[in-house]
Each structure stands twice: as C-alpha cells, then as structure tokens.
Amino acid sequence: MPKMNMLQAINNALDIAMAEDDKVLCFGEDVGVFGGVFRATSNLQEKYGRERCFNTPLVEQGIIGFANGLAAQGSVPVAEIQFADYIFPAFDQIVNETAKFRFRSGDLFNVGGLTIRTPYGGGISGGLYHSQSPEAYFAHTPGLKVVVPRNPYQAKGLLLSAIRDPDPVIFFEPKRLYRASVGEVPEEDYQLPIGEAEVTKEGSDITVLGWGAQMEVIDRAVELAEKAGISCEVIDLRSILPWDEDTVVESVLKTGRLLVTHEAPRTGGFAGEIAATIQERCFLYLESPIERVTGLDTPFPLTLEKEYMPDHLKIFEAIKSSVAF
C-alpha cells in the first residue's frame, strides 16, 4: 500500500471523483495551473481541462454563490475556500442558501452535490487570519454536514464520501498536517462513513475526544497518561454535524469521565455542546466534571501561538485532574 501525505490523499480523492463523474468540478482561488496555495489540486486542470478545474476571482461569497447555482442545476461542485478564516464573506450563502435550499422548496430542488473544502487551524505561524477553527459556527446550521479528517487515510475516504453525499458538506482540512501527516492510503476508491465517530484506542479510566489535528496531540497526551497508569479511551469524532452521540455516550458510560479538546476558543466551542449532551445522557454515571481543553478566548496570537494551542501537556494535566477528582 503506498504512503501519502494528507495533501496527496486529498488530491487522489479529487482525481478519483473527477474521473468517475464528469459532473464533478473543482474551482477556487489559484486552484488551476498553480494547484492551490497548498497544491491540493495539482495537475487536475492539466488532466481534466479548464472547464472542470479552474480559478475564480478573489471573492468568497461569489465562489459559494456560483457553487450553489451549479449544484442546483445538477453539477457536483467542489469549491475551495483558500483559508477557513476567509469563509466568512460566504457565510450568508452557506447558512441562508446552501443549508436551506432543499427545505424552502420541499425538496423540489437542492444543492446536495456541493462540497466546500477549506484548510483550517493553527500550528503554522499564520497569525490572526490564517489560523482560526470556525467549525462551531456551522454546527449551528441544520442542513449542512461538517467533516474533519485526522490523517491521510481518513481524508481520502471522508472526502470521497462528502463529494457523493446527498447533502452539502463543509470539509475542514487541518493544514498543520498537510505534509506532516503521512500514512498508508489505498490507491483504489473507498469511502468512510460521515456521522460516525471512531474509537481509535480502548481504555477504562477516561474518554478523550477530539477531531482533526487535535487527534495527534491527544495521542501524545495519552502516551504520557498511560505511563502514569491511566487507561484512556480515545475517540475521533470525525463529523461535527451530525456528531455521533451514541458512540461517545457508550464510552462515557464505561469510563465515567470525559475530556474534549479543540483548537477553537472555549466560549461557544463545540466542546460545550458535547459536554451538555453527555451531561444530560450520562449524569448519574459521571465520576468527575467534564473537562474542556481548548484554545483561548482571544484572537489567535502570532508570537504566542504555542501558549494559545491546546497541546499534549495541557491535555495530560486535565486527564490527571479528572481522574484525581
């Protein structure tokens, strides 16, 4: 089985989807000959032509408005927003059009073929405007699906599922891992389920939950915890909307403890929604308060990025605190 980094896996998924269905189109800022700012779309224009892989103007609202129109007419657009920080000019199109198109028509028409790809998160010294994690904004929007892969294998399988899904999907790609995460990825076509979390490690003392780039951080924290005699169960949520409540509940009923971590700020972060749900469903089984290890409630700092990020040491300390409560 060949090894790929996350960018190669994403490019491979796009290649497979475009080869299979000539209605699949890729577009966004600099995605053509240049291959995108991170080269995720390298060689796709050369292979499939300028009609199916092409550059757009630097106008995010226009990119998604155009994508909505294409999807409404039967195309399968894969629109790239160059950085998740710049998705906000398109917020109205995504929240008021993409998410609601099917519902306002009673399913007479829809834009379910739309996938929005965008790199998110910190760890690359990108400062305020190239480091944000805005997944929670979109988790508040019925009609969307929100997916975040943790490694190349997951990225390929989940992206192919997203492109073929009957609902519009926002696909957040952890850019810190684009070249840092390398693993075995099948060359053939395969899909992974959207809306199903994955238990990546079984344990008995505490459930540790995350998604995207935080999964690599969790693994390092859990390694420290195991050396300290704490057995951790690790879950990759994979999908923020819908999120797999039942898998998390089943785990917490076993361990009695839960820690959730994400890069986004604490207030209004998706960890709060998870904590509220688990408290409702597992209250009598909880051995300690649910822990959240998150980014800070401040604009993302450039020079203090390491202090801002929820790293493995912060998670390890929270694990110990929970178990010792």
Side-chain angles (χ1 to χ4, degrees), residues 179-246:
R179 292 181 174 85
S181 181
V182 178
E184 292 186 341
V185 179
E187 289 183 315
E188 64 269 15
D189 191 334
Y190 66 92
Q191 293 181 219
L192 296 173
I194 291 175
E196 291 186 22
E198 181 183 9
V199 178
T200 63
K201 182 182 182 302
E202 294 191 358
S204 57
D205 294 331
I206 185 171
T207 301
V208 185
L209 173 66
W211 51 88
Q214 280 304 102
M215 297 309 300
E216 181 261 343
V217 180
I218 286 172
D219 287 343
R220 284 189 283 154
V222 166
E223 187 176 337
L224 294 174
E226 296 282 348
K227 289 178 180 177
I230 301 171
S231 175
C232 301
E233 182 142 302
V234 179
I235 300 178
D236 175 12
L237 203 56
R238 297 199 291 193
S239 300
I240 304 300
L241 187 67
W243 71 278
D244 187 354
E245 293 182 23
D246 291 342

Side-chain angles (χ1 to χ4, degrees), residues 2 25 39 69 109-110 112 115 140 178 182 221 226 243 256 262 325:
L25 310 173
R39 307 298 188 270
F109 44 82
N110 68 76
T115 301
H140 193 61
Y178 267 158
V182 178
E226 296 282 348
W243 71 278
H262 57 63
F325 181 81

